[in-house]
């Protein structure tokens, strides 16, 4: 396993040496550019066909709502089906929505609810393909390349976001929305072609596919148990809520504080994108010299400084420079959070953890956009920016309570070594529930150490699917301890053991060393059987006449 120094020294562009990753990456940037152009065209079209400000504002919301509401479901799909095929389905849905919108526009159909419907379908395609794409990074690339790959995705999107709206505005102004929709539809051909032409090796599981609800439950349970992922979700959500004021209020900054127009707004967005690009290029060096928590703190400080400067300055040049600082903080923060979720998640659940993380962070960004907009409308733009800066500082201070770990490699990959017991009963894959009980004989002087090991064992077993885990002690023979947990089915019992890491399985050796030599841990596997009497079929009534 490479050291953290070796991992940090890997350049930002190193993942591009992988032909599969580079092909899909560049194709995705092209389609993202088209999607951003289409978003501008949809907003402009809505403004021309509807007099409602709410309908205009909801164009943005309709494309992000699916990522929030469907996150857990699409994460389970990404972990249980071919991620390549899931990405193709998502991209195909986006292409179909854009194609239908283009056709309807060509025939002069431009109803406001139709616009929202196709924007929502685009959002569904993004919600389906994005978790599968990010979860596939660990399949395509070596783990030491993951930090650079995640940073590349953030740099690429923020760079495209800096030029996409401006380019979309130009195309809409010169050629109209119809041409913009047609170009967007053509842009979706690129990622579909890249996915069709490129295949990557994915480690196949010997177990059958999980049921959707079980997969969702396991993903939520793993996320709830993992302190690293919970800390990342909380900090990432708050970072999005506070830092999004820079982008959400930037049109108002250009119009009200700088007294400028669309060109000035484009220049400001260019400054933000330039800062994002520079920070992305410097990210490997920063990771080598700073801990991940320190980088997150610096990112919060950079966003806070940018917000304050925008509130106080009236110079386009100075504001653009400050936005470069904000863009650098924005990319550094999201890269750090994204890398941490990737490395804190084993491959069997990474799609679900990424989706849950994305749902909360998207929610934070959406809530922040509304919050700072409401403060700007009811008080002042400067106050909104100042309040968001103070909130960003609070997110930095929160690191004292919820620090971000300094992972450079994942230590949670399943060992996949399991000698399955041979049942005497004729068990089916769906037989269950399964009750597993392990008896230990522990001397009194080893009880404290035993409890410490069992705390780690409970965490390890529960993380991979053990339910209702308990540890009990015999009140008449205190040396006897019983570990008990359940799995829904016989297949889930197998799946649990296949998910345990090598470190998890070393706990067995520690427990054996504590047990009396003549009475090693003894495991009993039971299957529950219903005891409720079956209902007798009704006796038909026979007339006695």
């Amino acid at each position: 396993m490479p050291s953290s120094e070796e991992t940090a020294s890997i350049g930002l562009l190193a993942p591009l040496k992988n032909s599969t990753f580079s092909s899909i990456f560049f194709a995705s940037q092209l389609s993202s550019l088209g999607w951003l152009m289409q978003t501008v065209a949809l907003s402009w079209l809505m403004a021309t066909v509807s007099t409602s400000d709410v309908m205009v504002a909801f164009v943005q919301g309709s494309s992000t709502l699916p990522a929030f509401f469907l996150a857990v479901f699409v994460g389970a799909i990404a972990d249980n089906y071919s991620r390549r095929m899931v990405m193709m389905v998502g991209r195909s849905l986006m292409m179909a929505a854009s194609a239908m919108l283009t056709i309807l526009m060509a025939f002069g159909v431009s109803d406001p609810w139709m616009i929202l419907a196709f924007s929502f379908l685009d959002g569904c395609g993004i919600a389906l393909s994005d978790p599968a794409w990010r979860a596939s990074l660990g399949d395509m690339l070596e783990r030491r390349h993951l930090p650079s790959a995640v940073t590349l995705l953030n740099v690429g999107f923020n760079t495209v976001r800096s030029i996409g709206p401006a380019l979309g505005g130009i195309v809409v102004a010169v050629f109209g929305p119809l041409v913009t929709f047609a170009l967007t539809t053509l842009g979706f051909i690129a990622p579909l072609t890249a996915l069709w032409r490129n295949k990557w090796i994915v480690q196949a599981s010997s177990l059958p596919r999980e049921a959707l609800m079980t997969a969702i439950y396991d993903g939520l349970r793993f996320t709830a148990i993992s302190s690293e992922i919970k800390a990342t979700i909380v900090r990432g959500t708050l970072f999005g809520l506070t830092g999004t004021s820079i982008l959400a209020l930037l049109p108002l900054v250009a119009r009200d504080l700088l007294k400028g127009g669309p060109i000035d707004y484009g220049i400001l967005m260019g400054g933000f994108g330039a800062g994002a690009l520079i920070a992305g290029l410097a990210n490997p060096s920063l990771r080598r010299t700073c801990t991940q928590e320190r980088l997150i703190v610096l990112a919060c400080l950079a966003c806070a400084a940018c917000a304050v400067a925008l509130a106080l300055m009236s110079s386009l040049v100075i504001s653009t420079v400050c936005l470069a600082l904000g863009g650098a903080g924005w990319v550094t923060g999201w890269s750090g959070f994204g890398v941490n979720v990737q490395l804190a998640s084993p491959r069997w659940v990474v799609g679900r953890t990424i989706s849950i993380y994305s749902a909360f962070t998207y929610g934070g960004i959406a809530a922040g956009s509304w919050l700072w907009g409401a403060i700007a409308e009811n008080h002042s733009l400067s106050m909104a920016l100042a309040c968001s800066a103070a909130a960003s500082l609070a997110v930095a201070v929160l690191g004292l309570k919820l620090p971000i770990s300094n992972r450079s490699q994942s230590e949670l990959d399943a060992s996949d070594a399991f000698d399955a017991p041979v049942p005497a009963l004729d068990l089916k894959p769906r037989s269950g529930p399964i009750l597993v009980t392990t008896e230990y004989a522990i001397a009194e002087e080893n009880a404290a150490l035993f409890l410490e090991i069992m705390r780690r064992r409970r965490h390890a077993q529960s993380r991979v699917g053990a339910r209702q885990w308990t540890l009990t002690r015999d009140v008449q023979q205190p040396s006897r301890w019983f570990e008990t947990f359940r799995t829904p089915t016989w297949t889930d019992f197998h799946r649990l053991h296949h998910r345990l890491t090598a470190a998890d399985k070393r706990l067995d050796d520690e427990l054996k060393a504590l047990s009396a030599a003549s009475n090693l841990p003894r495991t009993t596997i039971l299957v529950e059987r219903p005891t409720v009497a079956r209902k007798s079929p009704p006796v038909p009534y026979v007339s006695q006449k």
Side-chain angles (χ1 to χ4, degrees):
M1 179 181 292
S3 65
S4 59
E5 289 79 8
E6 290 174 327
T7 301
S9 66
I10 294 173
L12 176 69
L13 304 181
L16 295 177
K17 296 178 181 178
N18 182 297
S19 59
T20 299
F21 172 81
S22 61
S23 176
I24 299 174
F25 171 76
F26 286 117
S28 297
Q29 301 315 302
L30 180 60
S31 67
S32 294
L33 179 64
W35 177 72
L36 288 165
M37 291 170 55
Q38 179 174 274
T39 301
V40 172
L42 285 172
S43 298
W44 179 256
L45 181 61
M46 180 66 83
T48 60
V49 300
S50 174
T51 57
S52 170
D53 292 342
V54 174
M55 294 292 282
V56 175
F58 202 60
V59 171
Q60 293 283 346
S62 62
S63 63
T64 56
L65 280 177
F68 181 76
F69 289 110
L70 302 178
V72 180
F73 296 96
V74 298
I77 292 172
D79 283 331
N80 282 280
Y81 294 87
S82 166
R83 288 169 182 155
R84 175 172 167 267
M85 294 306 299
V86 172
M87 292 166 65
M88 292 184 71
V89 171
R91 294 291 182 176
S92 297
L93 180 59
M94 296 174 71
M95 182 176 178
S98 294
M100 286 299 298
L101 187 59
T102 304
I103 293 171
L104 291 173
M105 278 294 298
F107 284 97
V109 181
S110 55
D111 181 77
W113 289 105
M114 179 202 74
I115 295 173
L116 291 181
F118 284 111
S119 180
F120 182 82
L121 284 177
D122 265 343
C124 290
I126 295 172
L128 191 61
S129 62
D130 191 60
W133 167 223
R134 292 182 179 272
S136 296
L137 299 181
D139 300 326
M140 299 177 187
L141 303 168
E142 299 178 38
R143 282 300 180 94
R144 62 197 181 100
H145 286 153
L146 278 181
S148 295
V150 173
T151 303
L152 264 177
L153 295 187
N154 285 288
V155 170
F157 181 74
N158 281 284
T159 302
V160 169
R161 181 165 59 180
S162 299
I163 62 176
L167 183 59
I170 293 174
V171 174
V172 170
V174 177
F175 301 102
L178 177 60
V179 173
T180 309
F181 298 149
L183 291 175
T184 301
T185 303
L186 294 175
F188 287 129
I189 296 176
L192 281 172
T193 303
L195 289 168
W196 181 263
R197 296 179 59 183
N198 291 279
K199 297 181 180 180
W200 54 93
I201 299 174
V202 179
Q203 185 177 359
S205 174
S206 58
L207 298 172
R209 185 179 293 123
E210 278 187 280
L212 182 61
M213 295 310 298
T214 302
I216 292 172
Y217 178 88
D218 286 350
L220 292 171
R221 184 178 179 84
F222 181 91
T223 304
I225 290 174
S226 173
S227 57
E228 288 183 73
I229 295 179
K230 284 191 296 185
T232 303
I233 288 175
V234 172
R235 297 282 297 283
T237 302
L238 294 177
F239 180 78
L241 187 146
T242 58
T244 194
S245 64
I246 299 172
L247 292 171
L249 301 178
L250 194 56
L252 300 179
V253 171
R255 187 190 67 185
D256 299 339
L257 297 183
L258 301 181
K259 308 301 180 184
I263 295 178
D264 299 279
Y265 175 67
I267 293 173
L268 293 173
M269 285 297 295
F272 185 89
L277 179 60
I278 294 171
L281 294 172
N283 191 267
S285 299
L286 292 173
R287 286 177 59 85
R288 187 166 58 250
T289 57
C290 299
T291 64
Q292 192 59 63
E293 173 58 31
R294 183 170 296 178
L295 287 178
I296 297 299
V297 170
L298 290 175
C300 294
L301 294 177
C303 290
C306 177
V308 170
L310 290 177
L312 299 177
M313 300 299 173
S314 58
S315 167
L316 177 63
V317 174
I318 296 177
S319 296
T320 303
V321 173
C322 293
L323 275 164
L325 179 64
W330 188 253
V331 162
T332 301
W334 290 126
S335 297
F337 294 130
V339 168
N340 207 59
V341 172
Q342 285 268 1
L343 296 182
S345 306
R347 300 307 306 162
W348 63 267
V349 76
V350 65
R352 281 162 280 185
T353 55
I354 289 175
S355 296
I356 295 169
Y357 159 77
S358 297
F360 278 95
T361 53
Y362 274 126
I365 291 173
S369 299
W370 171 83
L371 174 64
W372 308 125
I375 293 177
E377 181 177 352
N378 294 298
H379 298 280
S380 69
L381 178 57
S382 296
M383 177 178 288
L385 289 167
C387 290
S388 70
S392 293
L393 295 178
V395 176
V397 174
L398 187 61
L400 298 174
K401 183 67 175 179
L402 294 174
I404 301 299
S405 63
N406 198 41
R407 278 182 177 270
S408 61
Q409 288 288 321
S410 174
E411 301 168 354
L412 298 175
D413 288 336
S415 67
D416 228 21
F418 174 52
D419 294 327
V422 179
L425 293 175
D426 182 22
L427 294 182
K428 307 299 181 184
R430 296 184 62 83
S431 296
I434 303 298
L435 175 66
V436 183
T437 300
T438 303
E439 179 180 350
Y440 302 91
I442 305 297
E444 184 62 32
E445 60 269 20
N446 294 329
L449 180 56
F450 172 75
L451 287 173
E452 173 58 32
I453 296 174
M454 294 307 287
R455 273 191 286 269
R456 287 184 281 150
R457 185 173 175 86
R458 176 180 184 174
H459 182 270
Q461 298 274 18
S462 300
R463 186 178 58 199
V464 296
R467 303 187 184 187
Q468 301 174 20
W469 192 100
T470 59
L471 179 65
T472 54
R473 191 177 190 180
D474 193 326
V475 296
Q476 293 181 312
Q477 300 181 48
S479 62
R480 298 177 67 202
W481 296 77
F482 298 89
E483 173 198 9
T484 304
F485 65 87
R486 285 176 167 79
T487 62
T489 66
W490 181 240
T491 299
D492 291 316
F493 170 77
H494 283 253
R495 188 173 282 118
L496 178 149
H497 286 277
H498 278 280
R499 290 172 175 173
L500 291 171
T501 67
D504 295 336
K505 294 183 177 182
R506 283 196 292 270
L507 294 176
D508 292 338
D509 297 329
E510 296 183 41
L511 291 169
K512 288 178 182 178
L514 284 182
S515 302
S518 59
N519 195 3
L520 291 176
R522 184 169 62 89
T523 299
T524 303
I525 304 173
L526 310 170
V527 59
E528 293 186 14
R529 286 288 184 250
T531 57
V532 178
R534 294 182 178 178
K535 293 183 178 180
S536 302
V539 178
Y541 173 76
V542 179
S543 174
Q544 301 300 316
K545 294 182 180 180

